Amino acid sequence: MNFCKAKKSQSYVTRFFIFIILLITIQICTASSTYAVTDEEKKEVTSYIDQIFLKRNKAILSGDLKLIQSLYNMDTKYGTWAYEYEKRKMDYINNWAQKQGVKFISITPTVLVKKIRNNDNNFSVYLLCSTEYKYVYEDHPEVQNTSRIGTYHNLQLMNKDHSLVISKEWYKDPFANSLDLGNIKADSIKKYILSQSSRDLSTLSQRRIKASEYADKYCGAASLAEYKYKYNKKYRDYNPKGGDCANFASQILFEGANFKKNSAWNYDKNGATKAWLNADSFKNYMNYSGRASTIAYGSYDKVYKASYKLLPGDFVAYEKKNDITHISVVTGVDSRGYSLVSCHNSDRSKVPWDLGWSDKNIKFWLIRVHY
């Protein structure tokens, strides 16, 4: 027996067991310092979070940043970044409203806290927020329009000066694709939008109506409380794998509008075809198969007039750097006939089709679906 080799093997074994003991010790220590909150703590933290969302939405409506600055820990870079992002978002929404000729009159959040963990009296929170946006056109203030946007937040709160403040926040924001409206001629666009009248959709086919009804029911965090903010459980949620927008659009056409599956466009227990699941492939399949055709393509200023031709059950594809990155399905029109869309990731229900997509590098495909 080679003694030196034996000693070396014993040394490896000893080190291995020491390593395992260290891992277990770290896990025990971590588990002991991070724990589920008591009912009293949950009630207190949830109440505070409700106030965060109410104050942030109030700041958007009033333009008063002082309302929300105290909510953030400005001594940390992540807290500062979270605050600065909310500022840019507020500016964008107000700039978009000016371009549109509208005024937001209420922004009402419904917060569902899913999980809270306590770590030395600092809190990690996962939550869903379903936000109702109401707006009016400036020359018709008596007619309200309603959209809903759903977001999922990972929030870190820390104690500072006997109060909780945001030290870090992450969420997939529906306005994150662009916060810049500097590339469009807002005055001429506003004039055109305000010259439009409401559209009569009373002659829509039942298939288009059913498509919109399916979208209303299963648009997740943007749906109504009666639908429990859920996706359709018959289908996988592909958001963790890159996005669920085309999967949802395909569901709307299959489940709602009764389009038939085929070998190219299909979903079953084994998964989905590329045309069902991928935004670029979905758009190409619909066009090349003859199930759809393009109404208009180009930057916003080139297609916004054509957008009034869109009907519930049609869709909009959003192109960035020559790649389709998102699909939204048209599900309604507002009081000026402006097309509204619904989608997953981020969850939207009857939201103006360009809201959150204002960038000179974004091009739009307005697609007519043939029912």
Side-chain angles (χ1 to χ4, degrees):
M1 179 179 181
N2 189 320
F3 185 71
C4 291
K5 186 176 181 180
K7 283 185 69 177
K8 195 171 183 180
S9 297
Q10 289 174 352
S11 175
Y12 285 151
V13 171
T14 302
R15 291 176 188 175
F16 174 77
F17 278 109
I18 291 173
F19 176 69
I20 294 298
I21 291 169
L22 283 171
L23 278 178
I24 293 171
T25 303
I26 290 170
Q27 289 176 346
I28 291 173
C29 290
T30 302
S32 64
S33 61
T34 302
Y35 52 89
V37 297
T38 64
D39 289 342
E40 184 177 347
E41 286 175 325
K42 182 176 181 179
K43 184 177 180 181
E44 181 182 353
V45 173
T46 299
S47 177
Y48 178 77
I49 290 171
D50 286 339
Q51 290 302 309
I52 287 176
F53 283 84
L54 285 169
K55 288 180 179 179
R56 292 203 300 206
N57 292 334
K58 187 176 180 181
I60 291 173
L61 292 173
S62 68
D64 184 2
L65 280 172
K66 291 181 180 179
L67 284 173
I68 63 171
Q69 190 167 3
S70 62
L71 302 175
Y72 298 87
N73 183 1
M74 304 296 284
D75 295 331
T76 67
K77 68 177 180 179
Y78 291 117
T80 301
W81 287 351
Y83 165 75
E84 289 175 346
Y85 179 78
E86 291 302 318
K87 179 183 181 301
R88 293 196 303 273
K89 174 180 171 180
M90 181 183 75
D91 291 340
Y92 170 75
I93 291 175
N94 286 316
N95 288 339
W96 181 88
Q98 291 175 18
K99 179 271 295 185
Q100 202 74 3
V102 306
K103 179 182 179 182
F104 285 98
I105 58 173
S106 70
I107 306 176
T108 307
T110 299
V111 177
L112 279 74
V113 173
K114 297 290 191 178
K115 186 184 296 184
I116 304 178
R117 302 291 292 181
N118 187 329
N119 187 352
D120 296 330
N121 289 320
N122 296 323
F123 298 93
S124 297
V125 184
Y126 175 68
L127 62 89
L128 172 161
C129 183
S130 184
T131 305
E132 179 189 75
Y133 290 76
K134 287 190 175 182
Y135 66 89
V136 297
Y137 282 92
E138 59 186 37
D139 57 348
H140 282 166
E142 71 282 0
V143 183
Q144 296 183 6
N145 300 279
T146 302
S147 299
R148 300 190 71 88
I149 293 176
T151 47
Y152 306 84
H153 300 246
N154 285 292
L155 194 65
Q156 291 187 12
L157 304 173
M158 65 180 296
N159 273 289
K160 182 182 179 184
D161 299 329
H162 309 291
S163 180
L164 291 174
V165 293
I166 299 169
S167 59
K168 186 182 293 186
E169 182 177 20
W170 183 91
Y171 63 103
K172 172 68 175 177
D173 183 60
F175 304 112
N177 290 288
S178 176
L179 296 176
D180 179 20
L181 270 167
N183 60 295
I184 64 171
K185 297 177 181 178
D187 290 341
S188 60
I189 292 171
K190 175 181 174 180
K191 183 178 179 180
Y192 183 84
I193 291 173
L194 293 180
S195 72
Q196 303 304 301
S197 57
S198 60
R199 284 198 271 161
D200 181 10
L201 300 180
S202 62
T203 59
L204 281 180
S205 70
Q206 279 299 306
R207 292 177 69 194
R208 287 186 180 274
I209 292 171
K210 293 293 184 183
S212 296
E213 289 176 349
Y214 182 89
D216 291 344
K217 186 174 182 178
Y218 291 112
C219 57
S223 64
L224 296 173
E226 63 188 276
Y227 301 128
K228 300 180 180 180
Y229 311 111
K230 301 283 188 180
Y231 290 1
N232 189 340
K233 292 183 179 180
K234 287 172 56 178
Y235 295 89
R236 294 181 181 89
D237 175 3
Y238 285 93
N239 281 322
K241 296 185 177 181
D244 200 62
C245 63
N247 180 34
F248 187 46
S250 293
Q251 290 173 43
I252 291 170
L253 295 182
F254 172 68
E255 295 278 2
N258 200 30
F259 277 85
K260 303 302 181 185
K261 296 176 184 176
N262 54 42
S263 59
W265 183 70
N266 189 44
Y267 179 99
D268 58 29
K269 63 181 180 180
N270 298 316
T273 61
K274 198 172 180 181
W276 182 286
L277 195 59
N278 175 268
D280 209 354
S281 298
F282 173 84
K283 186 272 292 180
N284 289 337
Y285 163 75
M286 292 299 293
N287 266 351
Y288 297 149
S289 67
R291 287 183 159 182
S293 57
T294 301
I295 294 174
Y297 165 72
S299 57
Y300 178 80
D301 60 337
K302 289 183 171 61
V303 304
Y304 75 93
K305 292 180 180 179
S307 71
Y308 289 89
K309 298 178 182 178
L310 290 167
L311 297 171
D314 294 338
F315 68 90
V316 180
Y318 303 79
E319 178 184 300
K320 247 183 163 180
K321 297 180 180 178
N322 300 314
D323 182 39
I324 304 297
T325 62
H326 185 64
I327 299 289
S328 289
V329 176
V330 180
T331 49
V333 299
D334 72 8
S335 61
R336 284 289 190 186
Y338 203 75
S339 295
L340 307 175
V341 297
S342 300
C343 62
H344 283 179
N345 192 35
S346 295
D347 297 345
R348 293 172 169 89
S349 179
K350 291 183 167 60
V351 174
W353 64 274
D354 69 303
L355 182 58
W357 295 91
S358 306
D359 189 302
K360 63 183 179 182
N361 295 316
I362 294 175
K363 293 182 179 179
F364 304 89
W365 293 79
L366 310 185
I367 306 293
R368 165 77 77 240
V369 177
H370 303 309
Y371 285 81

